[in-house]
Amino acid sequence: MQTDRMRLGVLDVGSNTVHLLVVDAHRGGQPTPQHDDRWLLRLAEHVGDDDLLSKDGEKALIKAVRKACEQAEKQGCDEVLALVTSAIREAGNGMEVLERVRQRTGVQLQVTSGEDEARLTFLAVRRWFGWSAGRLLVLDIGGGSLELASGLDEDPDVALSLPLGGGRMTRRFLPEARNGGRPDLRALAALDEHAAYLLEPAAKKLLSDGPPDLVAATSKTFRTLARLTGAAPYSAGLRAPRQLTQEGLVQLLGFVARIESSALAELQGVSPDRAHQIPGGAVVARAAMRALDVPSVRICPWALREGVILRRLDSLEEDR
């Protein structure tokens, strides 16, 4: 029996943005987007050397959550699923901040581990491509972390999270790009070496049961990199086939290493607020594909938020 259609909201507090996605959905059906809102906070940049989220960051978060709640109510959401990822879960005062957010907004933000992020994203990608994809390998570059997962089923056999997010790596290795300038070539090389070191043992785990039949990538970073290497624009629709190749990444890196990030922000397909993260994201993407011996990845439009929705719909069916 089909579960009655309901309107679900997902409030995703990430390292860069607070994102509200509203969909109409039912078990066994494709979630249909109805509304999309986001607020740029760059929470990770509000975490100081003491690993504490600043008061300004906390105030911005509370304000964004309140706006999201107002919008969710306006959109007629039956339920809002609220989660936080790397920026808050890694802050030393993260749990205290979340309690104050709950007190002032009524929203209980659930801390999602990196491994759970990888599992939920894997579920979304599996549902998008279906069982014909066979053994699936999924890559997802966020602002704070890189999630990777592989397996034959809807729940991956291996799910990993590495501290290789585009924003994190830009802050650590590429301050020039962060400030609108050109990335330092030696810093790009150091970032590549750092990523390769962390990815080597991860790749062995992910490939331990054999090579994948399909490799997919998701997230804003991968979509932007694909667009910059010739993939179809957003206007072509979700179902337009898109891919990113190692060869294309190498050429793109040669370009972005010689241009100011302020100029990158003017390119079509690039969000001005994330342009400075493109060089770091490109290095991480290439390092991951190289470590996994992947010549190309297919871009999947579904990711963590869709995975949260699908998991919730599955739980409703189990409760019947």
Side-chain angles (χ1 to χ4, degrees):
M1 181 181 297
Q2 177 177 292
T3 304
D4 292 339
R5 181 173 290 273
M6 62 189 303
R7 179 158 290 190
L8 288 173
V10 177
L11 179 58
D12 175 11
V13 178
S15 297
N16 288 310
T17 60
V18 172
H19 191 148
L20 174 68
L21 173 65
V22 176
V23 303
D24 283 342
H26 62 269
R27 177 75 173 109
Q30 177 179 318
T32 305
Q34 298 296 328
H35 184 81
D36 193 302
D37 248 330
R38 66 193 72 201
W39 297 268
L40 178 66
L41 300 190
R42 291 182 181 158
L43 284 179
E45 297 185 11
H46 287 279
V47 177
D49 294 337
D50 56 3
D51 290 331
L52 300 179
L53 182 71
S54 70
K55 286 295 182 182
D56 287 343
E58 181 177 331
K59 290 178 182 178
L61 174 59
I62 290 172
K63 184 178 180 180
V65 170
R66 282 176 174 159
K67 288 183 177 179
C69 289
E70 292 170 2
Q71 192 57 244
E73 183 176 357
K74 182 179 178 180
Q75 293 297 319
C77 289
D78 299 300
E79 184 178 351
V80 176
L81 310 167
L83 66 149
V84 297
T85 53
S86 66
I88 297 295
R89 72 171 176 247
E90 294 175 9
N93 59 343
M95 299 310 295
E96 299 168 23
V97 169
L98 293 183
E99 176 57 22
R100 289 192 288 270
V101 170
R102 186 194 65 77
Q103 292 173 356
R104 297 179 189 180
T105 68
V107 176
Q108 182 68 63
L109 291 165
Q110 300 295 322
V111 178
T112 305
S113 71
E115 181 179 316
D116 283 343
E117 275 192 67
R119 291 185 178 281
L120 288 164
T121 301
F122 185 90
L123 171 63
V125 177
R126 169 60 77 191
R127 293 278 177 92
W128 180 267
F129 286 113
W131 295 114
S132 63
R135 181 170 294 281
L136 181 63
L137 174 60
V138 176
L139 297 79
D140 179 357
I141 299 176
S145 56
L146 164 68
E147 272 68 53
L148 308 109
S150 64
L152 278 168
D153 300 321
E154 290 197 334
D155 191 43
D157 300 320
V158 180
L160 304 171
S161 180
L162 302 177
L164 289 172
R168 185 195 297 267
M169 294 299 95
T170 300
R171 291 189 299 275
R172 176 172 174 180
F173 289 93
L174 306 170
E176 299 87 357
R178 181 183 176 186
N179 294 321
R182 185 181 306 177
D184 182 84
L185 294 179
R186 289 173 297 181
L188 285 171
L191 168 53
D192 184 65
E193 183 177 349
H194 173 70
Y197 173 76
L198 293 183
L199 280 158
E200 183 179 359
K204 290 179 180 178
K205 293 180 181 178
L206 291 160
L207 300 175
S208 60
D209 290 328
D213 299 304
L214 175 69
V215 185
T218 186
S219 76
K220 182 68 172 179
T221 296
F222 271 113
R223 291 196 300 272
T224 300
L225 295 174
R227 179 72 184 99
L228 289 173
T229 56
Y234 179 79
S235 59
L238 292 182
R239 298 189 181 281
R242 297 174 175 89
Q243 72 168 359
L244 175 66
T245 67
Q246 266 209 66
E247 182 181 358
L249 264 178
V250 171
Q251 294 175 354
L252 178 61
L253 273 167
F255 171 68
V256 301
R258 290 167 173 80
I259 186 172
E260 289 77 11
S261 59
S262 57
L264 281 174
E266 300 176 8
L267 298 179
Q268 284 190 342
V270 176
S271 298
D273 55 280
R274 293 190 185 224
H276 64 291
Q277 295 184 16
I278 289 175
V283 171
V284 171
R286 180 173 176 244
M289 293 172 69
R290 186 179 62 222
L292 294 162
D293 194 22
V294 173
S296 67
V297 296
R298 291 180 63 181
I299 304 299
C300 179
W302 280 7
L304 174 62
R305 286 177 287 277
E306 287 78 11
V308 170
I309 291 166
L310 293 167
R311 179 68 58 81
R312 177 61 178 141
L313 292 173
D314 288 350
S315 70
L316 291 173
E317 185 70 10
E318 291 168 1
D319 291 341
R320 289 180 69 87

